[in-house]
Amino acid sequence: MAAMFALLELRDRGDNLIEEKGLNHLKSLRNQSVGNRQCYAVSAEYAGVMIGPDMGAGTKYDVLVRRGPIFSAADIGSAYQWPLYLWSVIEEPSYDDLVIGAIINWKRNAKVSEFFKAHKNFGHTGVIRGLENERIQTYEQNAESGEFVAEYDREFFDSDQIASICIPPDFEKGVMNIWQNGTFH
């Protein structure tokens, strides 16, 4: 069973803002190296742009608040206090749990593709840019194409391969309501 954190109501997100701000930012970085050139840097850049936790990895978003080990992509879902930023986390998500705009974190040694396994000590991470034909379209770095941002089309093997996904809040509805009202109502 998938463990969930934060409020489910926050999953109804401002998709236009996520696409225009976050995913288009990553799209503009294709074929360029980000941060320390590791996979973690793409997720760190995206989280920073999307007002999530500052994850470092050589980006301008230095680590400010953490809850656990921050060196493994597989641990991203538990290493930061995502609810403080109104993001939600789903551990071992099913395909139906996946959301465009979420950070996806593969487990250590997970099967990411037929030709690529996540690092045995660190796992692997990326950002979901699409969900079509029961597959996962992503932005990733330091995968089959090398140490730069690239687009991938991944098969969903099973929930046992994915440690977690981290889902941005609804910036147009949920966050604005909280700022205006000071509550989650």
Side-chain angles (χ1 to χ4, degrees):
M1 177 192 284
M4 299 177 68
F5 304 97
L7 300 174
L8 287 178
E9 305 89 75
L10 297 178
R11 297 224 17 232
D12 179 20
R13 306 155 7 245
D15 290 328
N16 289 334
L17 185 61
I18 287 168
E19 170 110 13
E20 291 171 13
K21 185 174 182 180
L23 295 178
N24 281 344
H25 177 67
L26 293 182
K27 185 177 183 178
S28 75
L29 298 174
R30 285 180 305 175
N31 300 316
Q32 300 174 53
S33 295
V34 173
N36 63 8
R37 304 171 81 96
Q38 299 300 307
C39 63
Y40 208 104
V42 166
S43 294
E45 180 76 13
Y46 180 74
V49 166
M50 298 303 290
I51 314 170
D54 295 320
M55 296 169 48
T59 68
K60 66 181 178 181
Y61 305 102
D62 291 331
V63 177
L64 300 177
V65 179
R66 67 180 182 162
R67 182 170 65 198
I70 60 169
F71 304 108
S72 296
D75 297 330
I76 287 174
S78 60
Y80 301 94
Q81 296 179 17
W82 295 97
L84 288 178
Y85 304 91
L86 307 178
W87 288 52
S88 50
V89 175
I90 301 175
E91 294 180 344
E92 295 186 345
S94 68
Y95 184 84
D96 290 337
D97 292 327
L98 301 179
V99 177
I100 294 172
I103 294 172
I104 183 168
N105 309 302
W106 282 273
K107 293 180 177 180
R108 291 165 178 83
N109 216 36
K111 185 176 184 180
V112 178
S113 77
E114 290 295 332
F115 309 103
F116 182 68
K117 284 185 117 178
H119 191 277
K120 66 181 181 177
N121 296 320
F122 303 113
H124 187 65
T125 187
V127 177
I128 299 173
R129 63 180 174 82
L131 295 165
E132 296 177 8
N133 301 319
E134 298 295 311
R135 298 177 67 83
I136 309 166
Q137 293 77 43
T138 61
Y139 290 112
E140 300 171 38
Q141 180 170 258
N142 200 22
E144 295 96 326
S145 296
E147 294 180 337
F148 55 86
V149 179
E151 295 180 343
Y152 294 91
D153 183 45
R154 304 284 191 202
E155 183 175 342
F156 179 80
F157 292 104
D158 58 59
S159 297
D160 291 337
Q161 304 302 313
I162 302 171
S164 65
I165 58 171
C166 304
I167 306 167
D170 178 349
F171 292 99
E172 296 170 349
K173 179 182 173 190
V175 173
M176 294 310 240
N177 285 343
I178 291 168
W179 285 340
Q180 291 170 359
N181 301 328
T183 67
F184 284 99
H185 302 298

